[in-house]
Amino acid sequence: MSHGWSIARRLFLAHALFILVLAAFVGTASFVDARDRGYSETADRMLAVATAIADNPLVLEASRGADPSGSLQPYALRVAADADLDFITIMDTDRTRWTHPTTSEIGKEYIGAVGPALAGEPLTEVSTGTLGPSVRAVVPVTDEQGAVRALVAVGVTTSNVTIALNARLPAVLGLALALLAAGSIATWLLGRYLRRVTLGWGPEQLAQLFVYLDSVLHSVREGLVLVDPRGELVLYNDQAARLLGIPPRSPAGAAAGGAPLLADLDLPASLGELLQSGRPARDEIHPTGSRVLVVSQQPALASAAGRGKPAAMGSVATIRDHTDLQSLGNELQGMRTLSDALRAQTHEHSNRLHVLVSLMELGRIPEALEFATRDLELSQQLTDELVTSVDEPVIGALLMGKAAQAHELGIALTVEASGSLSDSGLLVQDLVTVLGNLMDNALDAAVSGEAPRTVDLRVSSTADALVIEVADSGPGVAAEAEEDVFRPGFSTKDPGAYGRGLGLALVRQTVARLGGSLVIGRHQGAVFTVTIPTHRSPEPTPAADQAQAPRA
């Protein structure tokens, strides 16, 4: 069988051959059964006729006479003609024929078995006599005392039986042809169905394709998920299992069935809705508990031999992990903030240097020195206020940049801090994500609000929790939009730009992962309050300090 043949063609040929063999077998069995039943029915009829003749008193009376043939030959010929028999032979117990269809055979010895009949028992057999092979019955003729006086043999030649069987042959052939036709139609329909579902591919091609797909699934670095219309994960690779937090699944397990349902998985509502809907998507951002995922999805369409409207068989989604990229984006945003601050300071220092140069050119050295000293004191005072307000250097640098950015935007930034951030037990990266995105959101809101534009930051760190409160003078957040502002991609400014509408989603993701809470309030503008439990290390006891002190 050619390796290029499809599964449908192979199954069609195998099934057609099976139907052909089955039809031949059934036809042969039906013919043999009809033949056997024909011989049995003929033997029963011969026995019945022979018994009737043997019971006729004429036969017993003639057997006692001097010339049995004279009275029995006409009788036998007449009955044979009426019963459509080939011969009726009435004979003496010594096998001497008294009657026979051929007159020359009268008086000769009967050819055939008579033993059971001489013992008083009728018999039937297929035997060859003077007329050829025949189905015959031999019955004893007994007197009043039960003694056997004569024998009666009745039969028809097998040629006549064959003629009768041939009358049944059309029915047998009709049955075989009907079985062959029905099987052929069923085979054609099954082959057509298999050709459609296998796209006309052979088993070797399907096996090779499966191996290729398995290799692709395990080699790609992106997560790949195949979902059917019922919401079952038909197939997914190891990367998708890692990103979605589900157990890895081998292709053998996929073939065995038991695909997990999307409804049974602990996925974010937005991501679960996207995979369940099967709608096309391109680079949609979906934060999970600890990751930022970018998802693209397309429906899986199939069309039989390219004819008709393509049918949706599910959807294929690719998942990329942009957590690290988002972290780099946050760092880039921080660097951009610092560069903007340096640019603003450069502009300010340029103006001040022009003033100093002008004073010096006019010969007013004392005034120039006094101006430079006051400017230095003001800059140092601002730096000392921001740096000394928090004890975490990275957060201090972040606030310095935000202060410069606020100054350039014409926004009054106030910072109030109490407690220790460095001893809170929280990662500085998480603090930068929460504080940086809340400050960026507040600055954007304050710029779009009316003057005076202000942003107030309050940070309070205690033994139990870290509380961050960011208030702005912007338009605030409407009550019906409080949930939308945390949805990835939602933004009041250019929502189509990459990274827009993701800051507050990352804040809520980080706060939820740290076991905290995020509340939106309203004063003059919006007020975002974040509360995060702290994990401070216990303070060392004096005994411990003494034990750790170096010995002299």
Side-chain angles (χ1 to χ4, degrees):
M1 191 173 291
S2 175
H3 289 288
W5 286 5
S6 65
I7 293 179
R9 177 178 293 184
R10 298 184 190 197
L11 186 61
F12 176 81
L13 292 178
H15 200 261
L17 181 61
F18 171 75
I19 291 298
L20 185 62
V21 173
L22 181 62
F25 174 78
V26 171
T28 303
S30 299
F31 177 79
V32 171
D33 179 68
R35 183 196 63 185
D36 293 342
R37 285 190 292 109
Y39 278 107
S40 177
E41 292 173 359
T42 301
D44 291 341
R45 188 168 70 90
M46 296 302 101
L47 182 60
V49 173
T51 302
I53 295 174
D55 290 341
N56 191 338
L58 174 65
V59 178
L60 180 59
E61 182 180 354
S63 66
R64 292 172 177 174
D67 185 18
S69 297
S71 58
L72 293 178
Q73 176 69 5
Y75 169 72
L77 294 176
R78 185 172 63 253
V79 173
D82 293 341
D84 195 18
L85 303 176
D86 288 329
F87 69 89
I88 297 177
T89 300
I90 303 174
M91 69 193 83
D92 198 354
T93 55
D94 61 357
R95 293 177 177 263
T96 300
R97 297 189 184 101
W98 292 337
T99 65
H100 195 275
T102 304
T103 307
S104 61
E105 295 294 330
I106 297 176
K108 294 182 180 181
E109 186 176 343
Y110 171 78
I111 301 174
V114 295
L118 290 175
E121 295 294 333
L123 70 93
T124 59
E125 66 173 348
V126 178
S127 179
T128 302
T130 58
L131 300 178
S134 61
V135 179
R136 62 183 67 184
V138 182
V139 177
V141 179
T142 58
D143 58 10
E144 293 80 359
Q145 289 76 28
V148 178
R149 295 294 184 179
L151 301 175
V152 177
V154 177
V156 292
T157 60
T158 54
S159 59
N160 291 335
V161 176
T162 303
I163 292 173
L165 290 177
N166 289 340
R168 300 184 181 183
L169 189 59
V172 174
L173 292 178
L175 175 63
L177 291 177
L179 179 62
L180 182 61
S184 300
I185 294 174
T187 301
W188 178 75
L189 292 176
L190 180 61
R192 182 179 179 183
Y193 166 75
L194 287 176
R195 189 179 301 108
R196 183 175 70 253
V197 299
T198 61
L199 303 179
W201 287 18
E204 292 83 5
Q205 294 172 311
L206 290 176
Q208 187 179 42
L209 178 63
F210 183 82
V211 173
Y212 288 161
L213 288 178
D214 184 32
S215 301
V216 170
L217 285 175
H218 288 82
S219 62
V220 295
R221 300 182 61 184
E222 295 181 349
L224 186 63
V225 177
L226 281 72
V227 184
D228 69 2
R230 296 174 297 179
E232 291 184 357
L233 292 181
V234 179
L235 199 62
Y236 54 87
N237 61 356
D238 298 338
Q239 180 71 353
R242 185 179 69 86
L243 296 178
L244 298 179
I246 57 181
R249 191 157 179 260
S250 64
L261 292 172
L262 288 173
D264 298 334
L265 301 179
D266 186 17
L267 299 178
S270 61
L271 181 57
E273 184 275 331
L274 172 61
L275 297 178
Q276 182 72 50
S277 66
R279 60 178 173 82
R282 182 179 178 84
D283 294 338
E284 284 194 8
I285 300 175
H286 294 269
T288 63
S290 58
R291 302 181 185 276
V292 178
L293 304 181
V294 177
V295 183
S296 297
Q297 181 171 265
Q298 287 293 331
L301 304 177
S303 176
R307 299 188 300 270
K309 183 179 180 180
M313 300 183 65
S315 59
V316 179
T318 56
I319 305 174
R320 289 170 289 167
D321 187 3
H322 274 213
T323 305
D324 296 337
L325 182 60
Q326 189 60 42
S327 299
L328 293 176
N330 290 338
E331 294 182 11
L332 178 61
Q333 183 63 32
M335 295 299 296
R336 182 177 297 173
T337 300
L338 291 178
S339 66
D340 291 342
L342 290 175
R343 180 172 55 81
Q345 290 179 359
T346 300
H347 183 73
E348 293 293 331
H349 284 299
S350 177
N351 293 335
R352 290 164 184 161
L353 286 175
H354 287 161
V355 173
L356 288 174
V357 170
S358 298
L359 289 174
M360 294 178 68
E361 288 178 350
L362 294 175
R364 299 188 176 186
I365 304 300
E367 289 85 350
L369 182 61
E370 182 181 1
F371 177 81
T373 302
R374 289 182 179 179
D375 182 65
L376 179 62
E377 290 178 351
L378 289 175
S379 300
Q380 188 64 39
Q381 181 181 0
L382 177 61
T383 302
D384 292 342
E385 289 179 355
L386 290 176
V387 172
T388 57
S389 61
V390 292
D391 58 351
E392 173 57 57
V394 175
I395 301 301
L398 174 66
L399 294 179
M400 284 289 296
K402 297 302 179 185
Q405 184 179 359
H407 179 71
E408 183 181 6
L409 296 175
I411 300 173
L413 173 64
T414 60
V415 179
E416 296 180 12
S418 62
S420 175
L421 290 180
S422 60
D423 196 29
S424 63
L426 300 174
L427 295 177
V428 68
Q429 290 85 352
D430 293 333
L431 294 177
V432 169
T433 298
V434 173
L435 193 56
N437 283 295
L438 288 178
M439 290 295 294
D440 287 338
N441 184 73
L443 292 174
D444 288 341
V447 168
S448 61
E450 297 180 356
R453 299 181 176 90
T454 61
V455 172
D456 299 324
L457 170 64
R458 295 179 179 85
V459 180
S460 174
S461 179
T462 64
D464 299 324
L466 170 67
V467 180
I468 300 175
E469 182 180 286
V470 180
D472 60 70
S473 60
V477 179
E480 60 273 10
E482 288 185 1
E483 187 63 26
D484 290 336
V485 296
F486 296 111
R487 178 167 51 84
F490 179 85
S491 176
T492 57
K493 291 186 177 181
D494 191 14
Y498 180 80
R500 279 288 184 181
L502 190 59
L504 291 180
L506 291 175
V507 170
R508 186 165 74 167
Q509 176 196 74
T510 304
V511 171
R513 177 167 51 82
L514 297 176
S517 61
L518 174 59
V519 179
I520 301 179
R522 184 177 180 86
H523 182 55
Q524 180 181 356
V527 180
F528 289 82
T529 304
V530 174
T531 305
I532 304 174
T534 57
H535 306 281
R536 298 181 183 276
S537 59
E539 295 183 0
T541 61
D545 293 341
Q546 192 173 20
Q548 295 175 359
R551 295 182 179 180

